[in-house]
Amino acid sequence: MPADAKHLAARRELAQGISAVERPGPAANQRIQEALAASTADARNALVVGLTGAPGAGKSSLAAALADVARAGGRRVAILAIDPSSHESGGALLGDRVRIDEHPDDDGRFTRSIATRGSGRSLAHVAAAATILVEAAGFDLIFVETVGAGQAEIGIARLADVLLVVEGPEGGDEVQAMKAGILEVADIVAVNKSDRPGAQAAFDRLRSGLALGAGAPELALVSATAGAGISELLATIDDVGAGRGVRGRIRRVEAHLVAAAESHVDAQVREARASGALTTRAEQIVAGTQSLTGSLTALFGISETPDA
Amino acid sequence: MAERTTPIRVLIAKPGLDGHDRGAKVLARGLRDEGFEVIYTGLRRTLDAIVAAAIEEDVDVVGCSILSGAHATLLPKLAASLRASGATDVLVVAGGIIPEADRPELEQAGISGIFGPGTTIAEVATFLRANARRR
């Protein structure tokens, strides 16, 4: 059965919309506002679940397993898989679909690979806008998967309604669990690959480490590939995300506003580097012929007002 | 035409049953280093799955690696299916072991570029830059 034109038309429209908002500007903003208006008119409130964790922890497989369970329950499910762009070439290798089964005939599913492009912050600038478009296209549950590295974690924590941190069976020592960082903002920590040796021990170590702190995240022990604990984890996600209503969409708009501002600054920085203006200014500052304050204005349009 | 401001997106697919993806992976990595956004989908995908992935990823190019000898049936079907799904401006190219004699028919069916063994990554990149849709 070939996937016919009508069948894929809705997915195609959404896919082209995401491409359009990857090019920032007034046209992108217009499209995002239309999507917001559509979601508000239809009273849609998608649940956005962020997945982060070290490479190899099994984020893609876990997102796919959760999506399967949710879809079997009748929900419309999307996965946005974010991978880093090369700083050298600007290219990216986006391989998450390898771990996600294709469902060409099912319009209740959508998967999109997103490169971070100019974002120096690992969470793609377009991530928030993409979730807004996917929500407007009628998806109830949106998984946003990103490589856990520094600032990306905070970015995804701010964007998502529920943040799920995925650990492999080797992770989770007690000291690590007590460290500041991602576990402070995690809603749920899932130890994946429960069918592997050491997973239970990793889970126990994590539990004893996290039990010492207040406001500890929920814990789960799962196997994405064996399908163990996935329904329970989805129930936990729904519990954590329950009752957020329109606040989720407001948070997505906040995240987009911040991303648009960052995108603007990142572009200015790239331009200043590429043109040599950054180095020239730095040389002049060192030589004492230019001021820092004046250079910030000249390079980036930043005007710092004197302290009161 | 205006210079594009975003990377060219390429889906690298392995249709059919052969289980050799070394060539596909080398190409995927090489094109990344040439500045392309490469979506790799893994082995043994059905044509419908490749078409749906191409649509969802809104790619500019679909590149198929075929070593099984099934190119004569698979590639024209894939090109036709993409067109039927509205992806009329997506470039379809193929690599692998494809006999010279089969090429005219494939080109007729809308396979724009055919790259045999020995083609360099740079040659593929140049071809894609010259022929991928502008946007």
Side-chain angles (χ1 to χ4, degrees):
Chain A
M1 236 332 264
D4 64 280
K6 198 183 283 178
H7 197 71
L8 285 165
R11 273 181 276 177
R12 187 158 169 265
E13 191 184 334
L14 173 57
Q16 292 180 337
I18 293 172
S19 299
V21 296
E22 281 190 300
R23 291 181 282 271
N29 291 338
Q30 179 66 31
R31 199 181 268 263
I32 294 163
Q33 277 186 249
E34 284 166 10
L36 289 167
S39 291
T40 300
D42 297 349
R44 292 192 191 285
N45 289 304
L47 183 65
V48 176
V49 180
L51 287 93
T52 190
K59 295 181 294 294
S60 301
S61 301
L62 187 54
L66 286 164
D68 285 347
V69 172
R71 184 69 190 127
R75 295 158 85 173
R76 305 191 70 228
V77 190
I79 299 175
L80 304 177
I82 302 172
D83 279 315
S85 297
S86 158
H87 292 294
E88 296 288 323
S89 72
L93 187 44
L94 309 167
D96 294 293
R97 285 191 101 99
V98 171
R99 290 183 187 77
I100 299 168
D101 285 339
E102 300 284 353
H103 299 274
D105 298 323
D106 185 357
D107 275 340
R109 292 184 186 251
F110 183 83
T111 302
R112 177 68 172 237
S113 311
I114 294 173
T116 53
R117 297 204 175 163
S119 171
R121 296 169 178 81
S122 304
L123 185 67
H125 286 137
V126 75
T131 59
I132 290 167
L133 263 55
V134 172
E135 176 181 51
F139 289 89
D140 312 303
L141 188 58
I142 306 170
F143 294 100
V144 181
E145 184 212 317
T146 190
V147 170
Q151 289 294 319
E153 293 161 344
I154 301 309
I156 190 69
R158 294 217 170 106
L159 170 61
D161 297 304
V162 178
L163 181 63
L164 174 63
V165 174
V166 187
E167 295 256 9
E170 301 81 19
D173 73 67
E174 283 176 51
V175 179
Q176 208 185 332
M178 286 185 285
K179 273 197 287 195
I182 190 61
L183 294 180
E184 285 183 340
V185 289
D187 295 302
I188 306 168
V189 180
V191 177
N192 191 21
K193 309 186 189 182
S194 64
D195 47 335
R196 299 265 187 91
Q200 181 66 51
F203 178 79
D204 292 342
R205 282 196 302 274
L206 197 58
R207 187 169 51 192
S208 56
L210 288 171
L212 298 170
E218 303 283 336
L219 295 179
L221 182 60
V222 300
S223 169
T225 50
I230 304 300
S231 301
E232 295 81 352
L233 177 55
L234 185 60
T236 305
I237 289 169
D238 284 329
D239 282 348
V240 172
R244 85 227 154 266
V246 75
R247 294 304 311 176
R249 190 146 64 250
I250 291 167
R251 187 162 344 93
R252 291 191 269 290
V253 174
E254 282 180 24
H256 176 66
L257 287 167
V258 171
E262 288 177 350
S263 175
H264 187 71
V265 172
D266 287 351
Q268 285 182 316
V269 170
R270 268 199 306 282
E271 169 60 25
R273 278 190 202 287
S275 69
L278 186 66
T279 304
T280 305
R281 277 277 165 175
E283 286 166 355
Q284 290 166 340
I285 292 164
V286 169
T289 57
Q290 287 288 356
S291 73
L292 275 170
T293 299
S295 298
L296 281 168
T297 308
L299 288 170
F300 308 123
I302 296 169
S303 53
E304 293 178 320
T305 48
D307 295 330
Chain B
M1 243 177 270
E3 186 86 353
R4 31 181 318 141
T5 54
T6 54
I8 297 173
R9 284 170 70 85
V10 184
L11 185 83
I12 302 271
K14 285 282 306 171
L17 297 175
D18 86 78
H20 304 282
D21 66 348
R22 189 176 150 71
K25 283 179 174 165
V26 168
L27 182 64
R29 176 73 190 267
L31 288 178
R32 182 200 71 171
D33 293 341
E34 289 279 351
F36 293 78
E37 285 182 5
V38 182
I39 295 105
Y40 182 60
T41 60
L43 288 167
R44 300 188 185 88
R45 293 299 188 182
T46 64
L47 290 185
D48 284 355
I50 293 168
V51 170
I55 298 288
E56 292 183 356
E57 299 290 352
D58 193 24
V59 292
D60 306 294
V61 181
V62 175
C64 287
S65 163
I66 302 192
L67 300 168
S68 63
H71 52 269
T73 48
L74 288 178
L75 290 175
K77 266 192 201 164
L78 174 67
S81 193
L82 276 169
R83 307 290 176 250
S85 303
T88 49
D89 55 354
V90 172
L91 195 66
V92 183
V93 300
I97 299 166
I98 296 171
E100 198 64 44
D102 293 350
R103 293 186 180 208
E105 202 172 327
L106 291 176
E107 281 161 11
Q108 192 75 31
I111 317 304
S112 313
I114 296 167
F115 306 107
T119 312
T120 66
I121 303 281
E123 284 164 7
V124 178
T126 302
F127 181 88
L128 298 185
R129 284 193 196 101
N131 292 285
R133 63 184 175 182
R134 299 283 183 270
R135 58 175 184 184

